[in-house]
Amino acid sequence: MKTVYTCFCTDIIHEGHLNIINEAKKLGSVTVGCLSDKTAIRYNRFCTVSESERMELYRSIDGVDNVVLQNDMHYDDVIESLHPDYVVHGDNWVTGPESSIRAHVQKLVEAYGGQIIDIPYTVSEDVLKKDLQLKEKLSMPEYRRKRLRQLINLTPVVKAMEAHSGLTGLIVEKTVVEGENGKLDQFDAMWVSSLCDSTAKGKPDIELVDMTSRFRTIEDITEVTTKPIIFDGDTGGLAEHFVYTVRSLERLGVSAVIIEDKTGLKKNSLFGTEVQQTQASIEEFSEKIRAGKKAQLTDDFMIIARIESLILERGMEDALTRAEAFVAAGADGIMIHSRKKDPAEILEFCDKFRSKDKKTPIVVVPSSFNTITEAELSAHGVNIVIYANQLTRSAFPAMQKTAEDILKYHRAKEVDDRLMSIKDIITLIDEI
Ligand code: SPV
Ligand code: MG
């Protein structure tokens, strides 16, 4: 009997999947691969039920003879062990980002005389509705909130990109690229930066934009995305106020707040010592962390302590002492910041911190030390890398240049070639 392989990456079975199984069983005995969590998150998918539950679900489908775990986006592991006569897939992988996977599988199966069978993708109301339900489920606070902790366990380094509006949220949500290895990649999370949120409102980054307005930004983002949110909580304000912020963020489905150990008028860290900034005492800041942890109602939410000792040139020892104290106070992670171009002091901190603490997640924001790669940071124990302001910094000069050129030429023709087409902008956002 011939053997047939198909891979599923879904929590819900709809008529499209059943159609694939029906077509597959006409060809031979059917093995379904369950794409592992680790692989699914790089593939623009995030499952809300466990691998074992998904495997159970696939096993229960009529016509499925065997279920295996697929760990490789490119199918190398399963093809090598199963050598199926046929690989069956919806024809949605013939074009678009998944076509590189199809091309790779084609090479693998051709090598031993196997064949790919593309099944016309089922487009029906039921399929569209189930796909939408799956997406909506991921956007719900209870799923979104816990996703950051899940990602820290699933991936060597969680990649977060700044978002300060529905539109930038959509860019972080939807941007998928094919890497050098032909594998797909995407951001894991969103950073709601105080700098970019304030800048978008034309305000300085001094905790002037109040929490109600910052929460409104979060809601604009959550309405159109599913990825987890790390919120820049600045100093966290008074401990008596911070406890309310924690509850509100949890309710909004935010996964983590990062608060920095500064007190008084906060200025952006990238000013360094050019402006007057006061670091909070270890006791005062630990008390704020303790108050926040006591107020939090879910196990999912994270309070991450950001240490400003290197920014304020207080030395490595001070940074490490603070890290240890803040973890003891209950911090779920440590963010260490630097405004040096050379990542040496960040790496020294990470190595020294990791020599004593193997577990507590480390977060870094490589805006100044931007030559270092995610993999290098991960090798030094970093868990979360935040690209804190690059979308804002790329949009502003482009908009400014367009405004200047229209003023200069007294018409818009000269700028048109570098703009998105009118058709693209009016169709960018889908209507329900
Ligand atoms: C932000 O993005 O607002 C930050 C990171 O706090 S930084 O601007 O580097 O201080
Ligand atoms: Mg900030």
Side-chain angles (χ1 to χ4, degrees):
M1 189 164 184
K2 298 269 190 191
T3 56
V4 192
Y5 181 78
T6 188
C7 176
F8 282 1
C9 177
T10 181
D11 302 0
I12 301 176
I13 300 297
H14 54 53
E15 69 183 273
H17 302 110
L18 297 179
N19 183 42
I20 292 222
I21 299 298
N22 275 335
E23 292 303 316
K25 75 179 185 205
K26 289 180 194 161
L27 299 164
S29 105
V30 179
T31 297
V32 175
C34 165
L35 199 67
S36 68
D37 289 338
K38 274 192 170 65
T39 314
I41 59 168
R42 298 269 70 85
Y43 182 79
N44 219 11
R45 296 287 165 85
F46 195 91
C47 297
T48 58
V49 298
S50 69
E51 280 172 1
S52 57
E53 285 167 301
R54 296 203 299 281
M55 290 175 81
E56 204 49 51
L57 173 69
Y58 304 162
R59 231 171 252 125
S60 70
I61 305 171
D62 227 15
V64 172
D65 300 294
N66 188 24
V67 176
V68 296
L69 194 67
Q70 178 178 327
N71 260 314
D72 194 310
M73 189 190 289
H74 269 166
Y75 289 54
D76 289 271
D77 54 345
V78 284
I79 302 277
E80 193 180 313
S81 69
L82 300 173
H83 270 231
D85 296 297
Y86 301 102
V87 172
V88 173
H89 196 286
D91 64 1
N92 55 320
W93 76 341
V94 172
T95 54
E98 290 175 43
S99 58
S100 67
I101 301 175
R102 188 186 183 282
H104 185 83
V105 173
Q106 177 89 50
K107 263 196 257 147
L108 294 178
V109 295
E110 262 172 21
Y112 61 85
Q115 202 184 328
I116 290 183
I117 309 283
D118 303 308
I119 310 281
Y121 195 78
T122 310
V123 184
S124 71
E125 271 208 11
D126 178 59
V127 169
L128 291 175
K129 189 153 183 207
K130 292 236 165 76
D131 280 345
L132 193 64
Q133 277 171 346
L134 203 58
K135 187 161 170 267
E136 281 302 308
K137 192 175 165 193
L138 282 172
S139 73
M140 295 297 164
E142 62 273 31
Y143 289 100
R144 194 195 296 253
R145 200 191 301 115
K146 66 180 172 196
R147 187 160 158 182
L148 185 64
R149 282 194 191 270
Q150 291 173 316
L151 281 164
I152 291 170
N153 290 326
L154 280 172
T155 179
V157 61
V158 174
K159 300 187 288 262
M161 167 57 92
E162 74 104 340
H164 57 266
S165 60
L167 187 63
T168 46
L170 279 176
I171 289 179
V172 187
E173 178 81 12
K174 292 194 170 174
T175 304
V176 181
V177 298
E178 191 187 317
E180 279 160 25
N181 54 8
K183 298 197 175 169
L184 304 182
D185 204 3
Q186 60 173 320
F187 291 106
D188 301 293
M190 293 175 279
W191 164 244
V192 180
S193 148
S194 66
L195 171 65
C196 299
D197 201 1
S198 306
T199 303
K201 293 171 171 55
K203 300 268 170 67
D205 182 19
I206 53 171
E207 296 188 276
L208 175 64
V209 178
D210 66 27
M211 276 300 160
T212 310
S213 174
R214 305 278 324 270
F215 294 161
R216 184 63 234 166
T217 302
I218 293 175
E219 279 176 325
D220 285 343
I221 295 169
T222 55
E223 272 180 36
V224 294
T225 62
T226 64
K227 289 185 178 175
I229 294 174
I230 306 170
F231 181 70
D232 179 356
D234 289 321
T235 66
L238 296 171
E240 291 84 345
H241 293 173
F242 180 56
V243 291
Y244 285 90
T245 303
V246 166
R247 289 270 176 93
S248 303
L249 292 172
E250 282 189 284
R251 214 178 304 115
L252 287 166
V254 170
S255 302
V257 62
I258 301 188
I259 51 170
E260 58 198 90
D261 59 352
K262 285 203 292 233
T263 190
L265 179 63
K266 188 222 79 152
K267 299 259 173 87
N268 186 277
S269 300
L270 301 175
F271 281 120
T273 51
E274 282 163 35
V275 292
Q276 176 63 36
Q277 306 217 53
T278 317
Q279 206 171 13
S281 72
I282 293 186
E283 294 69 33
E284 179 190 348
F285 198 66
S286 299
E287 202 38 59
K288 203 181 285 183
I289 295 167
R290 269 193 289 272
K293 287 309 291 177
K294 197 163 153 219
Q296 132 179 14
L297 292 177
T298 66
D299 293 335
D300 311 327
F301 190 70
M302 298 172 78
I303 297 178
I304 298 174
R306 162 172 171 175
I307 295 167
E308 293 287 289
S309 306
L310 304 180
I311 292 282
L312 299 173
E313 294 176 11
R314 297 278 156 74
M316 187 60 66
E317 274 317 302
D318 185 69
L320 290 160
T321 307
R322 282 170 177 268
E324 201 176 320
F326 299 157
V327 172
D332 301 292
I334 293 294
M335 173 183 150
I336 183 69
H337 206 17
S338 162
R339 63 189 197 105
K340 300 247 163 80
K341 276 201 158 308
D342 184 342
E345 65 176 10
I346 285 288
L347 299 182
E348 183 185 343
F349 175 92
C350 294
D351 293 343
K352 289 188 168 153
F353 180 74
R354 271 283 168 267
S355 70
K356 289 205 185 143
D357 184 329
K358 302 272 178 263
K359 260 195 1 258
T360 306
I362 303 178
V363 184
V364 298
V365 178
S367 305
S368 303
F369 47 101
N370 56 17
T371 51
I372 192 153
T373 64
E374 292 149 4
E376 286 167 313
L377 288 165
S378 166
H380 289 268
V382 169
N383 303 82
I384 303 179
V385 172
I386 297 177
Y387 297 98
N389 47 43
Q390 286 79 5
L391 293 186
T392 297
R393 285 167 58 206
S394 58
F396 186 82
M399 292 195 284
Q400 198 174 37
K401 179 88 177 81
T402 298
E404 282 169 6
D405 282 355
I406 291 176
L407 275 178
K408 198 157 131 193
Y409 295 107
H410 302 284
R411 63 179 194 181
K413 182 183 180 311
E414 283 72 15
V415 303
D416 212 65
D417 281 353
R418 53 179 199 257
L419 305 185
M420 186 178 198
S421 75
I422 288 176
K423 177 171 174 286
D424 285 349
I425 188 68
I426 62 179
T427 53
L428 182 69
I429 312 287
D430 299 329
E431 285 182 44
I432 291 181

